Every structure is written in structure tokens, then in C-alpha cells.
């Protein structure tokens, strides 16, 4: 059975407890739109408070360390995310890669740690404007993914439940620019083929591939109706319940059409 569209809000470094009312509103609205799976990744400090409030939506983290514990000042482990009520973690976001020098092999180690802790993962990939202009976007993204996707040793594992991929062209993040639906379809098709080659048809065809980069209620329907787009990873427009749920509703409508 095809999976429900997955609409995930990445709050980045936004949100204090004053934002809990927004999370509550998102949760209540999500209860009325069950055809769509809605989740938010607030800052670490809000994971537990959102978990306590939410009845419908899942809450997750924006990163985790690859070790379970240790002398890593300022870091947080996957087990800690799970302990706070987190159900998933976003890994390899371009802001982590750029601002914290994260490498593909580190991201793979984090993915393994997160899966071991029982978390689902959303693994991000995407090219810079320079890479796209040089015509190497597809090969760049495939290389990133090949080096950072986890291996699932247990063949009985429900890979498509545990793994989501998010394609986020860096030049589209927070800029108001979005990739064309042709470019999105091409990239998502390539990612789909890679997932099938790595995990087999049964799993690879089912893993959801989210698009991220300036998704808004106004452009969501078109993007979400694109081949192989299984949802959206939303930054700025996830910070208010109005705009975030506008995107979730567009996803529900795309599902019905
Ligand atoms: P914007 O939706 O603000 O462009 O951010 C996208 C993003 O980086 C989500 O992870």
C-alpha cells in the first residue's frame, strides 16, 4: 500500500516554550487530516515538551551524535533523543554539513546509531548552485547518498518505515527559489533507482523521498504531485500552524486527486 504523504517541519534554531501553542495547534489540525503524516523537529529543548503535548504528530531531532554517550560537550545521542520522546532524527542537513563540517561517513555513523536507538531517520542530500550549474547535480547527490545511507543487515527489517530520504537543493533553502518540477522528478527518479539498487525493489520502491527548499502552501500542491515525491521537509513555513498545515492540506488533496 502506498504510504501517506509525510510532511515534516524542521524548526531549525527557532522556538522557545512560547512556540508550544503552535505545536499544539499543528497537532490538533493533524488529527483532522489523517491522510497525511505530520511531524516536527523542534530544537532539542522542545522535544520533550512537544512530545508531552502531541497526540497525533511525531516529534524528532535535527541531529544526533554517533556515539551513545561520552565526552562530547554540547552533543546529544540518539538514545537521549529517544528518551525525550523523539521518534526520528534528521541527519546530514546541508546546514550541518556546511556549518559543522559533517562528512558522509559521519552521517552514516549517525544513521546507524539512530537506527540502533530505535529512531526513524530522515537522511538529507542536495547540491549547491555551483554543482547544479556545472551539470553535476545528479552525480553529486548519488555520491552523497551512497556514502551516507545505512546498511540494513536484517532482511526482515521494514526499511521503508525506518528510512526517509530528503532531497534539498542548497540553493533553494530559505531563498524563495524552488527547483522546477522537471528537475525534482529527475532527481527523485535517480534517488529511487539508487534506493532500489541498494535495498531491492520491495523496500527501495517504498522509501519516501521528501523534497525540501522553500516549500510553501502556494507551491506545495504542484511539488507534491510530482512523480516520486513522498512529502516535504519544510523550514520557514513550518513555524506557524497556518502555513505548515496549508502544506499538509495540499498534500492531502494531491493524495485524493
Ligand atoms: P526552507 O523551507 O526554509 O527553505 O528550509 C528548507 C529546509 O532546510 C528544511 O530542512
Amino acid at each position: 500500500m502506498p504510504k501517506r504523504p509525510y510532511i515534516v517541519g524542521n524548526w531549525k534554531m527557532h522556538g522557545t516554550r512560547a512556540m508550544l501553542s503552535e505545536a499544539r495547534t499543528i497537532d490538533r489540525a493533524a488529527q483532522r487530516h489523517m491522510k497525511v503524516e505530520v511531524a516536527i523537529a523542534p530544537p532539542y529543548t522542545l522535544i520533550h515538551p512537544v512530545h508531552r503535548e502531541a497526540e497525533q504528530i511525531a516529534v524528532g531531532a535535527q541531529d544526533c551524535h554517533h556515539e551513545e554517550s561520552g565526552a562530547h560537550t554540547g552533543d546529544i545521542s540518539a538514545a537521549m533523543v529517544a528518551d525525550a520522546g523523539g521518534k526520528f532524527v534528521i541527519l546530514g542537513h546541508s546546514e550541518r554539513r556546511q556549518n559543522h563540517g559533517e562528512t558522509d561517513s559521519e552521517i552514516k555513523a549517525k544513521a546507524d546509531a539512530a537506527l540502533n536507538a530505535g529512531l526513524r531517520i530522515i537522511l538529507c542530500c542536495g547540491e549547491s548552485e555551483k554543482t547544479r550549474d556545472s551539470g553535476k547535480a545528479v552525480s553529486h547527490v548519488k555520491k552523497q547518498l551512497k556514502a551516507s545511507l545505512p546498511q540494513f543487515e536484517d532482511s526482515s527489517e521494514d526499511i521503508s518505515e525506518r528510512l526517509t530520504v530528503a532531497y534539498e537543493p542548497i540553493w533553494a533553502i530559505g531563498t524563495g527559489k524552488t527547483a522546477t518540477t522537471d528537475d525534482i522528478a529527475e532527481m527523485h527518479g535517480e534517488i529511487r533507482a539508487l534506493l532500489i539498487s541498494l535495498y531491492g525493489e520491495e523496500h527501495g520502491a517504498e522509501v519516501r523521498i521528501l523534497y525540501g527548499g522553500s516549500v510553501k502552501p502556494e507551491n506545495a500542491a504542484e511539488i507534491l504531485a510530482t512523480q516520486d515525491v513522498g512529502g516535504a521537509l519544510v523550514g520557514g513555513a513550518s513555524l506557524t500552524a497556518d502555513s505548515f498545515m496549508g502544506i499538509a492540506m495540499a498534500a492531502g488533496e494531491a493524495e485524493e486527486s
Side-chain angles (χ1 to χ4, degrees):
M1 216 177 76
K3 293 197 184 314
R4 292 181 292 169
Y6 192 21
I7 305 297
V8 183
N10 174 8
W11 281 9
K12 308 192 178 184
M13 200 170 73
H14 298 285
T16 58
R17 283 180 298 160
M19 283 278 285
L20 283 175
S21 61
E22 216 64 38
R24 218 174 292 128
T25 310
I26 290 169
D27 185 63
R28 299 301 173 268
Q31 293 176 25
R32 297 191 298 274
H33 298 282
M34 302 284 282
K35 287 199 179 107
V36 181
E37 188 173 347
V38 179
I40 55 175
Y44 296 128
T45 48
L46 292 182
I47 292 176
H48 190 59
V50 171
H51 164 70
R52 278 184 20 189
E53 298 267 346
E55 289 173 15
Q56 180 62 32
I57 62 170
V59 60
Q62 300 167 18
D63 181 40
C64 70
H65 197 273
H66 66 274
E67 285 181 21
E68 256 174 61
S69 60
H72 301 290
T73 302
D75 282 316
I76 182 165
S77 74
M80 292 167 186
V81 172
D83 183 55
K87 297 287 183 275
F88 69 95
V89 59
I90 298 170
L91 294 173
H93 192 283
S94 59
E95 287 152 15
R96 301 282 325 163
R97 292 175 188 262
Q98 283 180 335
N99 305 343
H100 298 267
E102 285 191 11
T103 61
D104 289 332
S105 60
E106 247 174 279
I107 293 158
K108 185 177 164 61
K110 290 177 181 215
D112 289 338
L115 292 168
N116 278 335
L119 297 176
R120 300 165 83 191
I121 58 174
I122 300 176
L123 207 133
C124 303
C125 57
E127 81 287 355
S128 65
E129 191 153 37
K130 196 165 152 232
T131 304
R132 173 142 299 265
D133 290 346
S134 68
K136 297 195 179 112
V138 168
S139 59
H140 175 83
V141 164
K142 282 169 84 171
K143 188 161 162 270
Q144 268 186 334
L145 283 175
K146 275 188 200 155
S148 54
L149 280 167
Q151 268 157 0
F152 290 87
E153 309 293 349
D154 180 358
S155 58
S156 66
E157 182 109 57
D158 191 351
I159 295 175
S160 65
E161 269 305 308
R162 310 221 47 210
L163 170 69
T164 298
V165 171
Y167 168 56
E168 300 201 301
I170 298 170
W171 48 271
I173 295 177
T175 58
K177 295 186 206 166
T178 50
T180 64
T181 48
D182 282 351
D183 287 342
I184 297 173
E186 183 197 18
M187 187 64 84
H188 282 225
E190 294 280 352
I191 295 172
R192 173 71 64 218
L194 176 67
L195 291 169
I196 290 174
S197 77
L198 291 174
Y199 303 123
E201 176 79 31
E202 182 196 348
H203 299 297
E206 294 295 318
V207 171
R208 283 176 295 197
I209 308 168
L210 314 184
Y211 171 80
S214 297
V215 178
K216 298 186 171 46
E218 302 78 49
N219 60 21
E222 192 187 9
I223 291 170
L224 290 161
T226 305
Q227 178 75 20
D228 277 314
V229 174
L233 184 54
V234 186
S238 70
L239 294 173
T240 65
D242 258 7
S243 56
F244 189 47
M245 291 313 292
I247 294 168
M249 280 189 273
E253 280 155 26
E255 192 63 357
E256 274 160 25
S257 63

